[in-house]
Amino acid sequence: MKPFDDPPLVPLRMGDDLGPYRIYRRLSSPQGTELYQALDRADPAAPLVRLEVWVEQPHDEFMQLYWDEAALFTLFHHAAFLRLQGLGNEGRRYYMVLPWRSARSLRAWHEAGSGLPWPVGAALSMARDVALGLGALHRWTLNGASMNAIYGALSAESILVSARGRVLLRPVPVAGKIGYGRPPDAPEPGPGTLSPEAVLGLPRTPAADVASLGAVLYRLLTGASPYEAGSPIERLQRIAAGRFAPPRALRPDLPASVERLVQRSMARDPSGRPADGDALARAIEATAAEEGIALGAAAVRRALREIAGHRSRDDVRAPRHPYRD
């Protein structure tokens, strides 16, 4: 562990520079992270970018090594992911450069809707889109060799949803930084989205991402975390044992086929789950077809309008969030 004698860094202000970028404004930032909207000093007419900044801490002994490895993901492009445009560091500040998108995290939408269950079509649509993105990551090859990549820290915080119903994933290195091995002051990836094998310290495959997405889908459909417990230790024990209430116990009107889909994706044994993101996407589409449920951005948009109406009726202000304009 390397001690720092330097005082805590003061957040950047409008007009400050970070690498080749000039800060336009600071955004609402989760603990352990600084988020900024910035412009390229070499090309002020270029579109604004989002800088996600982590300040190196004494326990981040391998920060530079991590950043060097993260640079590989600038080579991964898929429509379901925010593209990682670049990385850099200046002193203790390590930053990622992302395109500016008007979207909010799924966690923020949960909060805006007071944690109420989502319509089945919207929940399945978002899960299908995320699964397709994960499938592309699981298939990723570089120079003809499989990257054996997994997302590893999927949660409601790493899924972004625009008002038009488009679903995006934060880049893998971003998720990795707030996921496993995160420093103590970094934000949690979200309650109850770890896979059993992650909790047990077993090797993780693409099926681990399927389990995490299954937990996200469970919360979308029921409004509750699948592994809710009285303490973090008890929650981890529930995850390791694959112990959660059947979704229909919390939402009786849920179609039985949708419940089976969720339970299968969250199976304790990885061999009992869809093997990867593509397999889960196909399972979601088959279930939706069986129930006559239409998938797509239109279903998500309708749900977002319902959330906005609920917020208006209850006179609850939308939460400030780093992925909101």
Side-chain angles (χ1 to χ4, degrees):
M1 186 175 296
K2 50 186 178 182
F4 287 122
D5 297 326
D6 299 330
L9 295 178
V10 176
L12 300 173
R13 296 175 298 181
M14 182 176 180
D16 288 344
D17 293 336
L18 181 61
Y21 298 95
R22 178 153 294 158
I23 302 303
Y24 179 70
R25 63 170 169 158
R26 185 169 187 256
L27 307 169
S28 177
S29 304
Q31 184 181 6
T33 307
E34 298 173 6
L35 301 180
Y36 301 97
Q37 193 177 31
L39 54 85
D40 188 336
R41 287 185 289 145
D43 185 8
L48 292 170
V49 298
R50 183 183 303 275
L51 301 182
E52 301 213 4
V53 183
W54 283 271
V55 177
E56 189 177 23
Q57 303 294 331
H59 46 257
D60 286 338
E61 298 181 34
F62 302 103
M63 189 70 173
Q64 186 61 59
L65 177 61
Y66 169 82
W67 226 241
D68 291 343
E69 292 180 350
L72 278 174
F73 288 93
T74 60
L75 304 175
F76 176 71
H77 304 156
H78 189 270
F81 280 81
L82 271 182
R83 180 178 176 181
L84 180 60
Q85 297 179 184
L87 302 97
N89 74 287
E90 192 170 276
R92 289 165 53 198
R93 279 192 171 95
Y94 288 74
Y95 60 89
M96 294 183 176
V97 185
L98 307 172
W100 179 259
R101 292 290 184 271
S102 179
R104 299 165 64 192
S105 77
L106 185 54
R107 176 180 289 181
W109 285 113
H110 276 318
E111 293 170 354
S114 301
L116 295 174
W118 288 61
V120 175
L124 292 180
S125 295
M126 288 189 286
R128 189 271 310 270
D129 291 351
V130 172
L132 289 172
L134 292 175
L137 177 67
H138 297 154
R139 297 192 311 272
W140 182 29
T141 61
L142 193 60
N143 297 325
S146 173
M147 296 296 289
N148 296 314
I150 63 170
Y151 198 89
L154 185 71
S155 71
E157 188 64 50
S158 50
I159 300 170
L160 310 178
V161 186
S162 75
R164 295 184 176 182
R166 185 181 179 191
V167 178
L168 291 167
L169 280 162
R170 300 174 77 193
V172 175
V174 178
K177 180 60 181 174
I178 65 170
Y180 313 115
R182 62 186 180 278
D185 59 349
E188 290 277 349
T193 59
L194 295 172
S195 65
E197 51 268 40
V199 172
L200 294 169
L202 300 174
R204 285 175 291 158
T205 66
D209 286 341
V210 170
S212 294
L213 181 51
V216 171
L217 180 57
Y218 183 107
R219 185 178 180 189
L220 282 169
L221 291 168
T222 67
S225 173
Y227 303 110
E228 197 64 50
S231 70
I233 294 298
E234 185 181 353
R235 184 176 69 186
L236 293 175
Q237 290 172 338
R238 288 177 179 269
I239 296 172
R243 190 168 68 251
F244 54 88
R248 278 161 59 91
L250 302 176
R251 185 174 178 178
D253 67 328
L254 197 66
S257 61
V258 175
E259 180 181 64
R260 289 192 297 270
L261 170 71
V262 174
Q263 291 174 317
R264 182 183 168 211
S265 67
M266 296 174 62
R268 183 177 185 275
D269 186 346
S271 66
R273 305 174 206 145
D276 55 22
D278 286 337
L280 179 56
R282 290 193 296 270
I284 292 172
E285 290 171 347
T287 300
E290 178 183 343
E291 297 294 337
I293 299 171
L295 300 180
V300 179
R301 286 196 299 271
R302 285 193 296 272
L304 298 181
R305 286 196 294 269
E306 289 180 17
I307 289 175
H310 170 82
R311 185 173 66 239
S312 176
R313 289 192 300 271
D314 291 351
D315 195 27
V316 177
R317 295 187 63 186
R320 293 188 65 196
H321 193 271
Y323 281 101
R324 182 183 175 210
D325 277 343

